[in-house]
Each structure stands twice: as C-alpha cells, then as structure tokens.
Amino acid sequence: MKLKTKDGGWNPYFAGALVGILAIASVYATTALMGKTNYIGASTTFVRAVGFVEQVFASERVAANAYFAATKIKVDWQFMLVIGIFLGALISSLTDKSFKLEKVSPIWQERFGSSLAKRAVGAFLGGIVAMIGARLADGCPSGHGLSGMMQLSVSSFVALVLFFAAGALTAAIVYKRRAS
Amino acid sequence: MSIEQILGLITGVVFGFLLQKGRVIRFEKQIGALLIKDMTIFKFMLSAIMVGMVGIFILSDMGITTLSHKPMNVGAVVIGGILFGIGWAVMGFCPGTSSAALGEGRLHAIFAILGMLVGAAVFAELYPFLSSTVMAWKDFGKIGLQDALGVSHWVLVPIFWAAVIGLFFLFEKKGL
C-alpha cells in the first residue's frame, strides 16, 4: 500500500486515522479547557451563521424563534472549527499545489454541461434540502458520521445508512445518463 | 478571541488540512462514493471512526470526558437522513467539506454554502411545526448500540473493527 496517492494526496486510511487521533485530542482538549466535552460537527454552525444574517434585518423574528433560541446565535467552538476547516484546506492545497479554481466539476459537466448557472442552481437547491435534513436528523456526516459513530450511537448508524442509501439512489438517477 | 474560539480554530485547521490531504472534499470523491465507483471517503471516514472510538471510550471510561449521543428520534432521523442524502447527491458536498472545498478553490461550493444557509433558516421557520409532528412521533432518547444491546462497548469495538477491515479488503479487491 502506498502512502501517496496518484493525485498527490495522502493514503486515505492514513489521513483518516490521523483524524481519529484529532477527534480524541479534541474531545480531551475541549473538556480540559472549556469544561464541557465537544464533539466535531459542522451543520449547527449554518444555523448560527444565518441567525447572524437574519438579525440584521429581522431581529425580532430571530428573537421569537424557538430554534434560534435553543441553538444560541454566537461564534462558538464549532463556528471557529468550520472557519478553521476552510483555512486548513487552503493551506494544504496551496502548499502541495493541488489548489485549483474550479467553477463546475467534471462529473457534473459530463451530465449537465459547463454552465455555471446550472451548477449554481443544483448546489443551491441541494444545499437547502440537505441542510433541512441535517438539522432534522440532528447531524451531518461530521456530527453523525464521525462523532456519533465513534460513540456507537444508534441514531448515527441509522442516519449514516440513510444518508448513503438516499444519496446513492439520487446520484444514480441524477448522474447516470450522459449529456447528449 | 476566547480560549474556546482559538481551540475551535486550531482543531478546524488541522481537520481541514487532513480532509484536503485525504482528497475527500471534492465533488468527484463525494459523488464517486454515492455512485459506488470510488470509496475514498469511506476509507477515510471509517479509519477515523476506528481509531477515534478507542480513545473516546477509554477517556469516557476513565471519567475524563462524557459521551454525547444524539437522540434516536425516529421520525426526525429517518426523514432527516433521507432528505440529507437527496440534497447531498445534488450538491456534491456536505456541510463540513463545503467549507474545505471552497478552501481548495472549488468556487461552486459557494452556492452550496448559500443553499445550506437558506436551508438552516427554512428549518428554523419549520421548527414549531416539525417539533409537534415528525419529531413527536417516537423518541428512543440518547442511546448507544451498547445500551440498546445491553453489552459493554468493548465487546462491540472489536466487532466493528473486524467488519470494517472486511469492508476495506472488499474495497481494495474491487479497486474502488
């Protein structure tokens, strides 16, 4: 087994195992420094971020909303984690020269052509549906897929299987036919 | 910045760095897995879970950290899981990797992020309705497989490892 992949990346088993070590270190560090164990996740941050935006023009609506009240709109540990993810990927891709400005990805282009507008609509609508789902299920592939599975949570097994099953079925329908 | 924010930022930078090095954040890898052509993201994810679960259970057994299961609310997890899967396949990113994908220059991730922000706002508006319907059907609470089966997590960890290693051999054999 090679440590480097053909595209210049790291062996996924190796990089994944390092994420496992990071998760352990993070659980320990958050407990020691913040007094509460925090597990890696990402989707709650989107609620907080849009809460900040909505506060600008509809602050009363935000204050009256039970979900925003329960989530607490603040720049917390996870919010900074999501910003950190952006920076970490930027640093990694710039230093190994895999950074690439891309408007439409190849698989999408094969099926739907090179129109940025089509890709934007797909990503936007997909994003809306996915985030409603993630908040309803109370987690995404980070919160359920990584953190929940590491604790053998029943809800995470169910969520991950459904993420994949519904995703595979949708992908088969959406991408299988070639663009003519 | 507070200690909490600095800690989150550092953890995120390392996480984003490893996600990028693992090449798991691209649309191609995410959709490749959903089309069952390239299982890179599952190799990465399952390796992280295997390693992480050992340390997390040791730390919680020692009383240093606490476990935090998400509730097994049947309607919410099932409907939410299906909706997420559908959206994921069209978007080609997940919430965490969309931020990383933008970091490695995938500009179309911006539209995914905007969509997810709108989705979060829609969910907040739907919350009163959902919490009295879908989320009120049946909630088994915050349970782990160890609680549901009534066995020690140390019985389940080796079984999980064996199953995942089996899956890894299958991936490699099939060249996925």
Side-chain angles (χ1 to χ4, degrees):
Chain A
M1 197 173 290
K2 294 193 183 98
L3 204 57
K4 282 256 182 183
T5 54
K6 273 177 282 179
D7 54 9
W10 293 359
N11 180 306
Y13 298 113
F14 174 68
L18 291 178
V19 167
I21 294 170
L22 175 71
I24 299 167
S26 161
V27 159
Y28 179 77
T30 53
T31 313
L33 296 172
M34 291 160 58
K36 187 181 178 297
T37 310
N38 275 257
Y39 287 87
I40 287 173
S43 58
T44 316
T45 294
F46 287 81
V47 179
R48 298 200 173 102
V50 84
F52 277 118
V53 177
E54 266 192 72
Q55 272 176 345
V56 175
F57 55 90
S59 60
E60 281 163 26
R61 195 163 183 86
V62 175
N65 185 287
Y67 192 65
F68 283 131
T71 308
K72 295 190 186 71
I73 299 161
K74 56 180 180 183
V75 178
D76 69 339
W77 178 83
Q78 195 200 83
F79 203 108
M80 294 307 294
L81 181 93
V82 174
I83 294 173
I85 290 172
F86 167 81
L87 293 172
L90 181 68
I91 294 166
S92 170
S93 62
L94 286 177
T95 49
D96 75 3
K97 299 192 170 59
S98 60
F99 181 90
K100 193 178 102 191
L101 286 177
E102 174 190 276
K103 287 181 182 166
V104 179
S105 46
I107 292 180
W108 181 277
Q109 191 165 343
E110 251 180 52
R111 175 70 183 82
F112 296 104
S114 56
S115 154
L116 175 63
K118 269 192 196 172
R119 174 63 193 131
V121 170
F124 184 75
L125 294 179
I128 294 175
V129 175
M131 186 51 67
I132 294 172
R135 288 332 303 148
L136 189 55
D138 202 15
C140 59
S142 297
H144 268 310
L146 291 175
S147 301
M149 291 294 285
M150 285 178 191
Q151 306 172 61
L152 296 168
S153 301
V154 175
S155 57
S156 300
F157 275 92
V158 176
L160 197 61
V161 167
L162 289 171
F163 290 168
F164 183 71
L169 196 65
T170 309
I173 296 165
V174 174
Y175 302 107
K176 277 279 163 76
R177 256 187 14 214
R178 294 289 166 116
S180 48
Chain B
M1 273 197 287
S2 65
I3 289 274
E4 170 181 347
Q5 290 170 332
I6 294 168
L7 189 58
L9 187 67
I10 295 169
T11 312
V13 169
V14 178
F15 189 31
F17 187 89
L18 293 172
L19 285 166
Q20 206 280 334
K21 284 284 178 264
R23 301 293 192 252
V24 293
I25 50 194
R26 297 171 188 177
F27 182 96
E28 272 54 50
K29 297 287 182 175
Q30 306 259 325
I31 299 304
L34 293 178
L35 292 171
I36 318 178
K37 283 181 177 164
D38 178 348
M39 293 314 228
T40 306
I41 66 170
F42 282 99
K43 295 175 187 174
F44 181 92
M45 215 168 157
L46 291 166
S47 301
I49 295 165
M50 286 168 78
V51 172
M53 65 178 16
V54 175
I56 278 170
F57 281 131
I58 290 174
L59 285 172
S60 75
D61 281 356
M62 290 169 73
I64 296 172
T65 61
T66 49
L67 294 182
S68 168
H69 294 297
K70 291 170 187 295
M72 182 55 225
N73 183 318
V74 179
V77 173
V78 171
I79 296 176
I82 292 170
L83 284 178
F84 181 83
I86 294 169
W88 180 23
V90 178
M91 170 168 60
F93 302 113
C94 54
T97 63
S98 65
S99 169
L102 191 60
E104 65 168 357
R106 271 56 183 182
L107 296 171
H108 50 116
I110 291 170
F111 304 104
I113 291 168
L114 289 174
M116 288 191 283
L117 288 171
V118 172
V122 171
F123 181 79
E125 294 299 322
L126 292 175
Y127 184 73
F129 166 74
L130 291 169
S131 55
S132 63
T133 52
V134 175
M135 297 167 91
W137 291 345
K138 177 74 190 153
D139 191 350
F140 288 98
K142 300 180 173 184
I143 51 165
L145 210 54
Q146 58 274 43
D147 312 311
L149 299 173
V151 294
S152 162
H153 43 259
W154 293 116
V155 173
L156 299 173
V157 169
I159 297 173
F160 185 86
W161 272 63
V164 170
I165 290 170
L167 201 58
F168 286 165
F169 272 101
L170 184 73
F171 290 163
E172 296 304 326
K173 199 179 150 204
K174 301 265 181 197
L176 293 170

